[in-house]
Amino acid sequence: EPEVTQTPSHQVTQMGQEVILRCVPISNHLYFYWYRQILGQKVEFLVSFYNNEISEKSEIFDDQFSVERPDGSNFTLKIRSTKLEDSAMYFCASSESQGGSGELFFGEGSRLTVL
Amino acid sequence: AQSVTQLGSHVSVSEGALVLLRCNYSSSVPPYLFWYVQYPNQGLQLLLKYTTGATLVKGINGFEAEFKKSETSFHLTKPSAHMSDAAEYFCAVSRPNQAGTALIFGKGTTLS
């Protein structure tokens, strides 16, 4: 069964360092998303991406965050200068094109720990 | 703006007992509604969804949910709980007929 895969599963970094989280969405999906879940809190929307550009973003997705699809298969989230409060589980998701019911398919997440 | 409220951050039931997880939504238009489950150290898996049509929807693992517009609710139920149902459950809402729209999640309910 097709699935969304994410790497790394866990990354530990020092405050101020750059981090790149990688995702391989389901191959025929055209919409891509990043969500984060701070420990004990709800799953929060960060950004959605379609046709090589951001289609929607939340207030959380500020200038320290960026996304790109560098090679047609990977979808990356970059955090330029990590802060302690960026420690969270980051989930990538993808969904079908027009005609889909809106279901998002999620990866297993990348846990980011900022020290 | 859309939002989701899940009443009860923790719900504990005995094996074989009824499971009821509550979800209320706020939306300016009739939304699409979803329940996702998260098992320990795993991603989010779709349990069931309501888009249009029948208001009682059945999902995987014996779960079902009923969309009640008058109550703006989409509560999740299962007649008989099983040990394997222990997980985090998230209710989510999205805008209908807009491919690529983001899901907005509730805070989640831990079922034990």
Side-chain angles (χ1 to χ4, degrees):
Chain A
E1 182 176 333
E3 61 181 15
V4 176
T5 57
Q6 291 185 241
T7 56
S9 57
H10 189 192
Q11 182 159 354
V12 181
T13 189
Q14 295 291 325
M15 190 169 55
Q17 295 297 304
E18 177 182 283
V19 163
I20 297 176
L21 304 179
R22 291 181 170 80
C23 169
V24 179
I26 294 173
S27 61
N28 64 335
H29 287 185
L30 298 180
Y31 296 87
F32 314 114
Y33 312 81
W34 283 101
Y35 285 78
R36 79 172 185 190
Q37 184 182 28
I38 295 172
L39 187 63
Q41 299 187 25
K42 67 178 178 180
V43 178
E44 300 174 292
F45 169 70
L46 292 177
V47 65
S48 59
F49 192 85
Y50 170 71
N51 198 26
N52 287 319
E53 62 182 24
I54 291 173
S55 51
E56 191 175 0
K57 63 181 180 179
S58 72
E59 294 176 351
I60 302 168
F61 194 86
D62 60 22
D63 291 344
Q64 70 161 339
F65 291 96
S66 62
V67 289
E68 64 176 0
R69 192 161 158 78
D71 57 13
S73 62
N74 288 285
F75 177 52
T76 63
L77 174 69
K78 182 190 291 185
I79 309 174
R80 287 192 186 84
S81 179
T82 51
K83 305 171 189 171
L84 295 176
E85 54 264 37
D86 293 328
S87 295
M89 181 73 90
Y90 288 82
F91 291 104
C92 174
S94 66
S95 67
E96 294 178 285
S97 59
Q98 296 283 346
S101 63
E103 176 184 352
L104 270 59
F105 294 79
F106 286 84
E108 294 193 351
S110 293
R111 182 172 297 284
L112 176 64
T113 302
V114 182
L115 303 177
Chain B
Q2 296 177 305
S3 65
V4 173
T5 301
Q6 290 184 242
L7 297 175
S9 57
H10 288 86
V11 171
S12 182
V13 300
S14 300
E15 194 166 22
L18 171 71
V19 175
L20 171 61
L21 305 182
R22 299 178 186 274
C23 171
N24 288 89
Y25 69 90
S26 172
S27 177
S28 57
V29 296
Y32 287 172
L33 294 159
F34 305 80
W35 276 98
Y36 280 83
V37 61
Q38 183 182 28
Y39 297 103
N41 301 315
Q42 295 188 26
L44 296 160
Q45 179 184 3
L46 182 70
L47 267 180
L48 49 78
K49 62 188 176 188
Y50 168 79
T51 54
T52 58
T55 56
L56 180 64
V57 291
K58 296 185 185 299
I60 61 172
N61 302 336
F63 284 92
E64 60 183 38
E66 186 171 10
F67 169 59
K68 291 187 176 181
K69 185 179 178 182
S70 61
E71 299 177 7
T72 61
S73 70
F74 190 57
H75 301 330
L76 181 70
T77 61
K78 181 174 180 177
S80 177
H82 191 273
M83 291 289 288
S84 60
D85 294 327
E88 187 86 11
Y89 291 80
F90 294 93
C91 182
V93 62
S94 75
R95 295 186 295 272
N97 301 319
Q98 293 189 28
T101 189
L103 292 184
I104 305 301
F105 285 87
K107 290 188 175 182
T109 299
T110 301
L111 176 64
S112 60

